[in-house]
Amino acid sequence: MLAGKPAPAKPAAPEPEEAEKPHYHGHRDRLRQRFLSAGADALQDYELLELLLFQAIPRKDIKPLAKELMAVFGSLWAVTQAPAESLRNRFNFSDTTIAHIRIVGAIGLRMARQQVMGQPILSSWQKLLDYCAGAMAHEPVEQFRLLFLDRKNTLIADEVQQRGTVDHTPVYPREVVRRALELGASAVILVHNHPSGDPTPSRADVDMTKQIVTAATALGVVIHDHVIIGKGGNYVSFKSAGLM
């Protein structure tokens, strides 16, 4: 048998850590560095959402997913407030990923609440509205919230009294007044949301407010205002609108 030239040796297969990384790995690194060097203002909302999802979803190109989440829910904040079932059923997210998203919203709300608790409402009115909008604007059902104030108009308690349906919340004037007396509150601000997004008061809203004002006045509790929260930062103040 004739001796021929030895066949060239095949190159060794790269070790796993030497294998070419997917294209999105470089994107992730660049996005992180841009955030660390230039701050959040240098990133668009969907890019901040990408950063949030990197740890929860490690082996996937996140950019299209982040853009889809923004398109479906409408804003970065709305994504962090999205119902768990919507994230699970529409996007097939695991409980870990859902918790990763929603914990950001929970931290944001906790911080906003800390900014207004124990503060005079006259000096923190816009912060109070921002907090209520963050807490309620994306609720899928109506929520009736009570903000209790002391004699100096300082916020001493924030409680959700009732949750209802998409267009109705049962409210009992005597329960509002009873709770105010239990807390030693001198005044109350009523707040509820309209899941439709339109904060325009209904006839039922106006009538219910009058009933609460009547019950509260009889026992020395002042109803300072009733605010309806819509979406996109929209709200209606009954006092400003001349409805009380």
Side-chain angles (χ1 to χ4, degrees), residues 75-89:
S75 70
L76 181 58
W77 181 252
V79 173
T80 69
Q81 299 296 298
E85 286 305 308
S86 295
L87 296 173
R88 185 177 294 111
N89 295 336

Side-chain angles (χ1 to χ4, degrees), residues 29-198:
D29 291 339
R30 289 190 297 272
L31 199 57
R32 287 193 190 97
Q33 287 305 312
R34 183 146 55 95
F35 173 74
L36 292 173
S37 61
D41 288 344
L43 276 65
Q44 297 188 51
D45 285 356
Y46 79 86
E47 293 176 314
L48 287 174
L49 188 54
E50 283 187 79
L51 284 174
L52 174 63
L53 293 172
F54 283 168
Q55 298 303 314
I57 309 175
R59 297 181 181 86
K60 184 177 180 179
D61 184 1
I62 301 298
K63 182 187 285 188
L65 175 60
K67 289 185 173 182
E68 185 181 1
L69 283 163
M70 292 288 295
V72 169
F73 295 107
S75 70
L76 181 58
W77 181 252
V79 173
T80 69
Q81 299 296 298
E85 286 305 308
S86 295
L87 296 173
R88 185 177 294 111
N89 295 336
R90 180 157 188 165
F91 295 93
N92 198 32
F93 284 167
S94 67
D95 287 348
T96 298
T97 302
I98 293 170
H100 214 74
I101 293 172
R102 288 180 59 85
I103 197 170
V104 173
I107 291 172
L109 277 179
R110 184 70 59 85
M111 293 175 64
R113 189 173 188 269
Q114 290 173 351
Q115 291 293 310
V116 296
M117 287 300 301
Q119 299 297 316
I121 63 165
L122 293 179
S123 62
S124 56
W125 182 246
Q126 189 56 53
K127 288 182 179 179
L128 192 68
L129 290 175
D130 291 343
Y131 163 65
C132 290
M136 304 171 72
H138 300 288
E139 282 286 319
V141 298
E142 282 199 10
Q143 183 185 94
F144 195 78
R145 183 179 294 267
L146 301 175
L147 305 176
F148 298 97
L149 313 173
D150 65 11
R151 293 185 182 279
K152 296 181 180 180
N153 283 333
T154 296
L155 183 63
I156 59 173
D158 159 36
E159 297 179 357
V160 175
Q161 190 201 45
Q162 295 287 342
R163 286 183 171 86
T165 65
V166 294
D167 60 3
H168 175 69
T169 307
V171 179
Y172 305 100
R174 64 184 179 184
E175 293 300 316
V176 174
V177 179
R178 179 187 65 79
R179 187 59 179 148
L181 295 175
E182 285 180 351
L183 293 170
S186 299
V188 182
I189 298 173
L190 315 174
V191 190
H192 85 275
N193 63 307
H194 279 179
S196 67
D198 180 3

